Amino acid sequence: HVVFDIDETKQPGRQRKLVSGPDYPQARRRLRELCAPARLGRKRGEVGRTRTVVQQAHTGEWLGSFGGAGNGQTKAELRRGCAAVCAYMKAHALEPAAAMVRLDGAYGYVPSIAIALESGVGYLARCADYRLLEQLQLLPRLERLEPEVLGLPDSGVQRRIYDAGHIQWHAGHKNEGLVQPRLLL
């Protein structure tokens, strides 16, 4: 597999008070076209900008950078990112199915995973929808699963990984989709 990373970041913008009066020229904001009101989480700012980048993980090649004012268009930017991955694979005479896209953060939900599946690439996603734990009642199931111990060669830290198998993951109350990923805890 050829691994790609598609990440979305949000950048806040601070807006100071504009000086106005008869002795001053008409005030205008320099970032007016680039920023818009946005949900920024813990970041402070009145406006924001979203940027999605696509990178080939092995070589560090940048395949694309897509930005948008405010919260951007997450799904459209992911589609563009997956299209860039498919174009890269075609240019190197490889099948899109041999591509593995790493999704997390804003892309750790069912609709985003469905977009990756539509484009024909494989995916590795970190689930951002913690309702999944309650939906599947996973905590009681962990007692019955046998953990696999994974040792990290750099640090010597050992982690227990539980393979819950293939599950049905719904998008929630919006019924935006259903995917059947293999769940590792």
Side-chain angles (χ1 to χ4, degrees):
H1 288 316
V2 181
V3 180
F4 298 87
D5 192 21
I6 300 180
D7 276 332
E8 178 185 75
T9 59
K10 294 181 186 284
Q11 182 66 38
R14 301 298 307 258
Q15 293 183 335
R16 63 181 189 268
K17 183 179 177 186
L18 294 175
V19 178
S20 61
D23 298 335
Y24 295 98
Q26 177 68 33
R28 86 175 182 87
R29 297 204 182 271
R30 291 176 293 185
L31 298 177
R32 182 180 47 209
E33 293 85 20
L34 299 176
C35 295
R39 292 184 317 268
L40 299 168
R42 295 176 295 196
K43 297 179 179 179
R44 293 176 41 179
E46 293 79 23
V47 294
R49 179 164 179 73
T50 302
R51 182 178 76 150
T52 298
V53 296
V54 183
Q55 183 181 27
Q56 204 272 8
H58 305 290
T59 63
E61 295 173 79
W62 283 81
L63 304 181
S65 178
F66 319 111
N71 288 321
Q73 298 175 345
T74 304
K75 292 178 185 176
E77 291 168 5
L78 180 57
R79 280 190 179 88
R80 287 180 67 189
C82 287
V85 167
C86 290
Y88 179 93
M89 296 299 282
K90 183 178 179 183
H92 288 83
L94 298 168
E95 292 294 319
M100 170 94 50
V101 176
R102 192 179 70 81
L103 304 170
D104 61 1
Y107 297 127
Y109 295 92
V110 170
S112 300
I113 293 170
I115 290 170
L117 289 172
E118 285 172 13
S119 68
V121 300
Y123 68 92
L124 176 65
R126 187 184 71 189
C127 174
D129 187 1
Y130 289 103
R131 294 175 299 168
L132 182 64
L133 296 173
E134 297 168 2
Q135 176 184 336
L136 298 175
Q137 299 172 350
L138 286 173
L139 297 179
R141 287 177 57 188
L142 284 179
E143 296 173 1
R144 296 184 302 238
L145 296 174
E146 189 67 32
E148 178 89 22
V149 178
L150 173 71
L152 302 175
D154 295 342
S155 64
V157 174
Q158 292 192 337
R159 306 256 189 230
R160 291 186 312 239
I161 299 175
Y162 297 89
D163 186 353
H166 288 84
I167 61 164
Q168 290 196 354
W169 184 14
H170 296 272
H173 65 278
K174 295 181 182 178
N175 292 329
E176 289 186 54
L178 166 74
V179 294
Q180 296 182 336
R182 182 175 173 192
L183 180 64
L184 300 175
L185 302 168

